[in-house]
Amino acid sequence: DVQMPELSGYDATRAIRYAETIAGSGTHVPIIAMTANAMMGDREKCLEAGMDDYLAKPINREEFLEKIKYWTGNR
C-alpha cells in the first residue's frame, strides 16, 4: 500500500530496489501497488518509484491472481 504510516510504499519500494542494486545478485522482488489512489498519474507514480505493477482498490480477485502469476513467472 502506498500510504503506510512511517514508511510509504513508495519509499519502501525505493529501499528494496536500492538493496537489490547493492546486493548485485540480479534478484528482483516483484512489487505490485495495491492502493485506493486511482487518480490520473497514480499508476505512473508507482512505476516511477520502482514498482512493477499497480492495482486500484477495490481489488478484482481475477486481476489480482493474474498479476501474481505474471510477476512470479507462473504464466
Side-chain angles (χ1 to χ4, degrees):
D1 200 332
V2 299
Q3 294 182 349
M4 298 183 296
E6 296 185 36
L7 184 66
S8 75
Y10 304 114
D11 291 334
T13 298
R14 288 184 193 102
I16 291 167
R17 296 297 180 234
Y18 178 74
E20 290 172 343
T21 301
I22 295 302
S25 65
T27 301
H28 179 85
V29 175
I31 300 174
I32 302 170
M34 297 176 71
T35 179
N37 292 355
M39 302 298 287
M40 183 75 82
D42 287 331
R43 181 178 190 281
E44 291 73 18
K45 190 173 178 181
C46 290
L47 298 178
E48 287 172 11
M51 297 177 195
D52 296 295
D53 217 325
Y54 169 92
L55 285 169
K57 294 178 184 176
I59 303 299
N60 173 288
R61 183 178 190 273
E62 289 77 28
E63 184 181 10
F64 171 75
L65 293 174
E66 198 173 291
K67 288 187 184 286
I68 293 296
K69 286 178 185 176
Y70 178 83
W71 288 107
T72 60
N74 296 316
R75 299 174 196 155

